[in-house]
């Protein structure tokens, strides 16, 4: 993974490892993903806020104040890490997942490294021809993993000074709910307009949808230009 080991990122890994001594590494990382995703969605996704809040409260009710505080610190450290990389977006959670060797516990899953995703985005995205005149550009990632391909695409768009936040919409999908949570959390914190689907791309089964806080922005902008509403 292309990533300098920032202090906040190191602190986040340390916090996970510390809690894992009593809770187990896989349990801590998975719980962190679920409680963080539901906490974010409860506050920023009106369509699903009620059920996300309900799930968050269910999880929080089983935790001691000290344990809940540990997960809150993890979220704060993740937020600070994302802020550090806002101009050079990387797959933070995917990198931590590999560094903690969780890929061996999660059925041998491996996520594409940032440098490969950036290279692929540079050679496949027609960035020089991108235009918002016909409405938002939609990009689909059918096996999104931790969201690294989407993050790589955003990195490439930033280098072309393309306003992805107002002119693109990403649809990301994965069969593994933990991947859905990782992608949703990172795309939300990076401010990427996206819908992350928990589903099976091959069978076309779909179980849930997670909308990032910026999901409606490209469409609101398009409607505004037509004289309907403004962002």
């Amino acid at each position: 993974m292309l990533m300098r080991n920032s202090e906040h990122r190191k602190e986040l890994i340390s916090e996970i490892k510390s809690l894992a001594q009593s809770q187990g590494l896989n349990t801590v990382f998975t719980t962190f993903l679920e409680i963080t995703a539901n906490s974010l969605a409860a506050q920023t996704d009106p369509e699903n806020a009620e059920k996300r809040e309900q799930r968050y409260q269910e999880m929080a009710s089983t935790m001691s104040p000290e344990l809940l505080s540990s997960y809150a610190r993890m979220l704060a450290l993740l937020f600070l890490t994302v802020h550090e990389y806002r101009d050079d977006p990387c797959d933070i959670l995917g990198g931590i997942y590999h560094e903690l060797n969780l890929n061996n516990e999660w059925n041998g899953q491996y996520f594409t490294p940032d440098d490969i995703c950036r290279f692929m985005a540079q050679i496949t995205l027609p960035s020089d021809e991108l235009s918002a005149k016909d409405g938002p550009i939609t990009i689909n990632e059918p096996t999104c993993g931790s969201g690294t391909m989407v993050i790589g695409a955003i990195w490439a768009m930033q280098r072309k000074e393309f306003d992805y936040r107002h002119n693109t919409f990403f649809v990301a999908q994965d069969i593994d709910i933990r991947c859905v949570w990782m992608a949703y959390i990172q795309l939300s914190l990076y401010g990427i307009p996206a819908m992350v689907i928990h589903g099976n791309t091959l069978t076309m089964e779909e179980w849930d949808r997670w909308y990032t806080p910026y999901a409606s922005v490209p469409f609101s902008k398009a409607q505004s230009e037509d004289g309907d509403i403004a962002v």
Side-chain angles (χ1 to χ4, degrees):
M1 295 279 180
L2 269 179
M3 183 173 291
R4 61 189 185 277
N5 206 13
S6 74
E7 287 303 314
H8 292 127
R9 182 176 181 275
K10 287 191 289 186
E11 287 182 50
L12 174 56
I13 293 173
S14 178
E15 188 78 28
I16 293 171
K17 287 181 175 179
S18 177
L19 188 57
Q21 292 177 10
S22 60
Q23 303 286 320
L25 192 57
N26 184 45
T27 296
V28 169
F29 194 69
T30 300
T31 302
F32 172 57
L33 296 178
E34 184 176 8
I35 199 167
T36 297
N38 279 283
S39 175
L40 290 173
Q43 300 175 63
T44 63
D45 179 6
E47 184 168 332
N48 297 296
E50 185 175 349
K51 68 177 179 179
R52 305 302 184 214
E53 176 66 22
Q54 181 178 357
R55 178 54 185 156
Y56 172 82
Q57 292 298 338
E58 287 175 358
M59 296 183 73
S61 68
T62 67
M63 299 180 185
S64 67
E66 293 76 18
L67 181 57
L68 192 57
S69 179
S70 291
Y71 285 116
R73 284 196 300 273
M74 290 180 198
L75 174 54
L77 289 167
L78 177 60
F79 181 87
L80 291 170
T81 305
V82 169
H83 184 71
E84 284 186 76
Y85 292 105
R86 66 191 182 282
D87 296 324
D88 188 31
C90 296
D91 179 11
I92 296 164
L93 290 175
I96 292 174
Y97 155 88
H98 279 281
E99 189 167 330
L100 295 175
N101 203 33
L102 283 166
N103 53 296
N104 288 330
E105 293 192 38
W106 292 10
N107 300 317
Q109 289 178 324
Y110 292 90
F111 302 143
T112 309
D114 284 305
D115 52 351
I116 300 300
C117 293
R118 292 176 175 186
F119 173 72
M120 292 174 66
Q122 286 180 309
I123 63 174
T124 58
L125 283 176
S127 299
D128 293 327
E129 302 172 13
L130 290 176
S131 172
K133 64 181 181 180
D134 297 320
I137 297 164
T138 302
I139 300 175
N140 190 292
E141 167 52 299
T143 54
C144 67
S146 53
T148 185
M149 289 296 294
V150 176
I151 295 170
I154 292 304
W155 179 90
M157 289 179 178
Q158 285 183 342
R159 296 320 173 262
K160 295 291 184 179
E161 298 184 346
F162 182 76
D163 183 6
Y164 66 85
R165 187 163 291 165
H166 289 90
N167 299 316
T168 61
F169 182 74
F170 290 87
V171 178
Q173 181 163 312
D174 206 278
I175 196 171
D176 189 329
I177 187 58
R178 294 167 300 193
C179 292
V180 170
W181 291 330
M182 278 193 277
Y184 169 74
I185 291 165
Q186 296 195 112
L187 303 190
S188 293
L189 295 182
Y190 275 124
I192 298 172
M195 173 177 65
V196 185
I197 299 172
H198 181 210
N200 187 324
T201 301
L202 296 178
T203 64
M204 299 185 71
E205 293 176 275
E206 181 181 314
W207 303 296
D208 205 356
R209 293 185 175 191
W210 297 72
Y211 296 92
T212 68
Y214 280 85
S216 65
V217 170
F219 306 101
S220 297
K221 180 175 182 289
Q223 290 175 326
S224 174
E225 291 171 348
D226 289 337
D228 294 331
I229 65 173
V231 179

